[in-house]
Amino acid sequence: MIARPQPEGRAALARDVRATVRDVPDFPKPGIIFKDITPVLLDAALFTRLTDSMAAAAAALQVSHVVAIESRGFIFAAPVAQRLGVALVPVRKPGKLPHRRVREEYALEYGTDALEMHEDALGAGARVLVVDDVLATGGTAAATRRLVERAGGTVVAFSFVIDLTFLNGRHQLVGTSVDAIVEY
Ligand code: AMP
């Protein structure tokens, strides 16, 4: 019997992404192991498989918008939005967006940071997929969910390339489904 080609399993993709992501110790400060996704971008076939898989996982959710978290989230969110055939909305650090904005602050280890989104980007009834490269403590993603809600939308799912599970970020995202290609 001749084996038919099978659609790619998530396990094979996860293995290849895991083997390609580069660990950079002590960046941006001592004690942090930075997950550098740029080697994934250098591999055109792998980058395509990855964003195909992120889009496929969201295909049944009937999302109307992909919301992209600055800045590495932009890289993955744009091809996912195009594959899903839906709108793309950037969430940015303060001072970057030119039009009227909604703003949410979130706690950092020391102090606070903030994220902004154009207030007219979504509209009532928007069904949103939020995309970023890494889920760490979840503060950034949780602030993004609050922004989406303030702009009239609902986050139906989060999609990450990497989940640093030991930081328990999913705890901050309870109530919304969370997908990640690779878990550490
Ligand atoms: P957090 O709000 O703690 O979930 O942090 C998430 C944001 O910080 C994401 O936008 C990530 O790109 C970035 N980030 C946090 N920790 C790391 C890490 N170890 N490696 C790469 N990026 C990280």
Side-chain angles (χ1 to χ4, degrees):
M1 199 172 129
I2 298 168
R4 280 202 226 118
Q6 295 291 318
E8 179 179 51
R10 286 270 293 227
L13 174 64
R15 180 197 61 214
D16 292 347
V17 171
R18 187 186 289 271
T20 306
V21 167
R22 175 165 54 195
D23 283 2
V24 182
D26 300 320
F27 183 88
K29 53 186 181 182
I32 305 285
I33 298 176
F34 191 85
K35 296 294 183 190
D36 177 17
I37 52 81
T38 62
V40 175
L41 309 179
L42 293 174
D43 183 336
L46 181 59
F47 183 31
T48 300
R49 287 163 56 203
L50 174 60
T51 48
D52 276 349
S53 180
M54 293 169 80
L61 300 176
Q62 296 180 305
V63 303
S64 56
H65 299 71
V66 172
V67 164
I69 301 180
E70 180 163 354
S71 61
R72 288 180 299 278
F74 296 170
I75 296 168
F76 299 99
V80 169
Q82 291 198 334
R83 281 164 173 75
L84 292 172
V86 302
L88 176 68
V89 177
V91 159
R92 302 214 59 183
K93 294 284 170 63
K96 302 284 188 185
L97 289 171
H99 191 55
R100 284 201 308 277
R101 300 159 293 267
V102 283
R103 176 190 177 100
E104 279 289 334
E105 302 204 339
Y106 59 101
L108 297 175
E109 197 177 348
Y110 302 103
T112 62
D113 209 341
L115 290 171
E116 296 182 341
M117 187 174 67
H118 278 148
E119 69 174 15
D120 61 357
L122 295 176
R127 291 175 56 81
V128 170
L129 175 72
V130 173
V131 172
D132 202 359
D133 65 334
V134 174
L135 174 63
T137 66
T140 308
T144 300
R145 183 168 65 177
R146 296 196 300 274
L147 276 180
V148 167
E149 287 166 357
R150 285 188 44 204
T154 304
V155 177
V156 295
F158 291 94
S159 176
F160 301 97
V161 179
I162 292 166
D163 178 0
L164 303 178
T165 60
F166 54 90
L167 294 174
N168 214 4
R170 287 179 192 239
H171 234 74
Q172 296 222 47
L173 307 179
V174 168
T176 306
S177 98
V178 177
D179 188 42
I181 304 294
V182 184
E183 295 185 351
Y184 291 85

